[in-house]
Amino acid sequence: MMRRRMRYIIEHPDRMLELTQEHVWLVAISVLIAMLIGIPIGILITRLRWLEGSVIGVTGVLYTVPSLALFSVLMPYTGLGARTVIIALVLYSLLAIVRNTVTGIDEVPRPTLDAARGMGMTGSQRLLLVELPLALPVILAGVRLATVAAIGIATVGALLGAGGLGQLIFDGIARGSTDRIVAGAISASVLALVADWALAQLGGRLRRDVQIAGR
Amino acid sequence: MITLEHVSKTFTSHGQTVTAVDDVSLEVGEGELHVLIGPSGSGKTTTMRMINCLETPTGGRITVDGRDVQTMNVVDLRRGIGYVIQQGGLFPHFTVADNVAVVPRLLGWPRQKRRQRAEELLALVGLPPELFADRYPRQLSGGQQQRVGVARALAADPPIVLMDEPFGAVDPITRKQLQRELRRIQAEVRKTIVFVTHDIAEAFLLGDRIVLMAEGRIVQNATPADLLRNPADPFVTSFIGEDRGLRSLRFTSLAELAGPAPPGARPNGMILPGTLSILDAGRELAAHRDAAGDGIWVGDTTGQPIGYLTFQQFATVLGESLGDDAETPHDETAHAIHH
Ligand SMILES: Nc1ncnc2c1ncn2[C@@H]1O[C@H](COP(=O)(O)OP(=O)(O)OP(=O)(O)O)[C@@H](O)[C@H]1O
Ligand SMILES: [Mg+2]
């Protein structure tokens, strides 16, 4: 039974590879953009504390909007295609990345920060030499959360013609082909597991490097 | 030279105000080491942190080399002041050598020179560089981390050093070595040092002056000898006397310590019997605040002078003995663990 359901994957390796690549690309580019926006916003919040409530609030609300609803809100402005999906994925990823950046920096031990100031580091030296390196494992945990979520949400993006593994699922639904649905769903899940595992490994290594006694 | 003129600091947290430092005036001369000592929460750390602008005074003025610290560039000010932080505060993601060399790095020293300096200082604080330079702080014991903190403060050879309980977590034997080392460095290069401790013996051993604080105020600011001879009030006496280390001083007599009398000098009235313990001699001195001269005459049982002990020697001995005594319980513990 299972073997038969996997038939599509086995018989169309090229197609599988192509869709997986599309999917990875969608997610990677979105999470990357979210990092480029979210990490600076997180840093800004630790400097201008009054921003915290509203920024975390807005990204939090964004996070709870169902993906189809978000797509349909964006579509009138951004049209069909990968662009809309990427924008939506960026918006979804922001919460985890901003929040973890703030948490990571907040968790830098007080004496360590005091030492950085006491040694005469400037604000930017403190950020680059102390705060960001020490916050990195926590930021990476946010990236990991965002990535796994984005891999799932990106499947829905196929509805907008953005491609990716969701394509198989919707093709399967349209043609009544369970094989395709299974192929799409399983591949997306495996992709999420692999990404989760890989980022966890990376995070573990980083954490070991910056481990703080007693933290 | 560091001066504090009527400096105060109040913190406000959760609607409550705490006066951490209350009208403190202090003058630490070039090349002097002043010890701040006093009960927990008496404002020692806060006083120290206002000197390198980690806290802003709510009243008064602080100058370093004649310049008001508030008007100085904080980054330059801090790079010129070594700082040993109470809780260690090492950078967990830097190796020990990189931690030590952090100020030289900020000052733009070349890599080679930084490394060399770090190794030099690690050796100085008793951490062989070949064993420790490339480790991370978490791979060090608390006492070893503290020593790295001391090395870090000295790395760029700052003329001023603030040391907040730098040897608090170091075992008594190593602490003694570090104290001697600091005294040696101090005799050679004469830095201007503010040193916080809870250890009265350490204060006597290292301080040119001892500043005793309580509840944010200075209770007494005196040389170690004067502190013994003229304690300002019962609090000072009790603070000096309450230290458990003083027990050992019951078993050391004045006669054991007295040196020959200075030629030509004559006893000036008070002659303490040589059989008196150091502890009792200290009490006796406290009771006779007006005792003249710069030392104590020691006599035999008949009251004939047999020797002389300067107040400075007395203070140093007190410091040394207290340190020795502190080792005893530790050694017993070590013994108990090994068996
Ligand atoms: N950032 C702060 N906010 C509020 N109160 C503070 C702050 N820093 C210090 N205090 C308070 O100021 C007082 C003096 O603290 P300080 O750290 O200077 O004491 P200390 O003499 O160094 O004590 P210890 O020997 O325990 O290190 C304490 O009552 C403390 O609770
Ligand atoms: Mg303190």
Side-chain angles (χ1 to χ4, degrees), chain A residues 110, chain B residues 9-13 16-21 37-49 55 86 164-165 196-198 213 216:
Chain A
R110 185 84 227 177
Chain B
K9 173 73 186 178
T10 50
F11 290 104
T12 310
S13 57
Q16 285 196 323
T17 55
V18 180
T19 304
V21 175
I37 192 166
S40 190
S42 56
K44 306 180 295 293
T45 296
T46 308
T47 302
M48 176 171 271
R49 286 163 60 88
E55 307 285 359
Q86 185 168 3
D164 200 345
E165 300 190 33
V196 172
T197 183
H198 274 126
M213 295 185 68

Side-chain angles (χ1 to χ4, degrees), chain A residues 111 114-115 118-119, chain B residues 45 48-49 52 54 78 81-90 103 125 143-155 158 160-170 182 193-196:
Chain A
D114 265 359
M119 298 301 125
Chain B
T45 296
M48 176 171 271
R49 286 163 60 88
N52 63 357
L54 285 173
R78 288 172 184 159
I81 299 181
Y83 179 40
V84 185
I85 189 166
Q86 185 168 3
Q87 305 91 330
L90 296 184
V103 181
V125 296
Q144 290 166 344
Q145 291 184 22
Q146 264 194 334
R147 283 185 267 168
V148 176
V150 172
R152 178 173 68 175
L154 298 173
I160 296 176
V161 187
L162 309 176
M163 309 180 102
D164 200 345
E165 300 190 33
F167 309 140
V170 179
L182 181 62
I193 301 180
V194 179
F195 189 107
V196 172

Side-chain angles (χ1 to χ4, degrees), chain B residues 183-195:
Chain B
R183 225 163 49 163
R184 190 186 61 70
I185 296 172
Q186 197 45 9
E188 261 175 38
V189 296
R190 289 262 141 214
K191 292 182 179 303
T192 305
I193 301 180
V194 179
F195 189 107

Side-chain angles (χ1 to χ4, degrees), chain B residues 208-225:
Chain B
D208 293 314
R209 293 188 79 87
I210 297 177
V211 180
L212 184 60
M213 295 185 68
E215 294 171 7
R217 300 181 143 269
I218 294 181
V219 182
Q220 186 165 11
N221 177 353
T223 63

Side-chain angles (χ1 to χ4, degrees), chain A residues 109-123 125-126 128-131 133-134 207-213, chain B residues 49 52-55 74-75 78-79 81 83-85 87-94 102-103 105-106 136 138 145 152-153:
Chain A
R110 185 84 227 177
T112 308
L113 267 190
D114 265 359
R117 292 207 296 147
M119 298 301 125
M121 288 192 190
T122 62
Q125 285 169 336
R126 217 157 65 220
L128 294 176
L129 294 176
V130 178
E131 289 174 302
L134 290 178
R207 204 175 279 277
R208 251 195 314 284
D209 283 350
V210 303
Q211 191 86 66
I212 299 158
Chain B
R49 286 163 60 88
N52 63 357
C53 288
L54 285 173
E55 307 285 359
V74 282
V75 167
R78 288 172 184 159
R79 287 180 189 174
I81 299 181
Y83 179 40
V84 185
I85 189 166
Q87 305 91 330
L90 296 184
F91 302 118
H93 57 308
F94 284 7
V102 70
V103 181
R105 176 175 174 187
L106 298 176
Y136 284 88
R138 82 190 112 93
Q145 291 184 22
R152 178 173 68 175

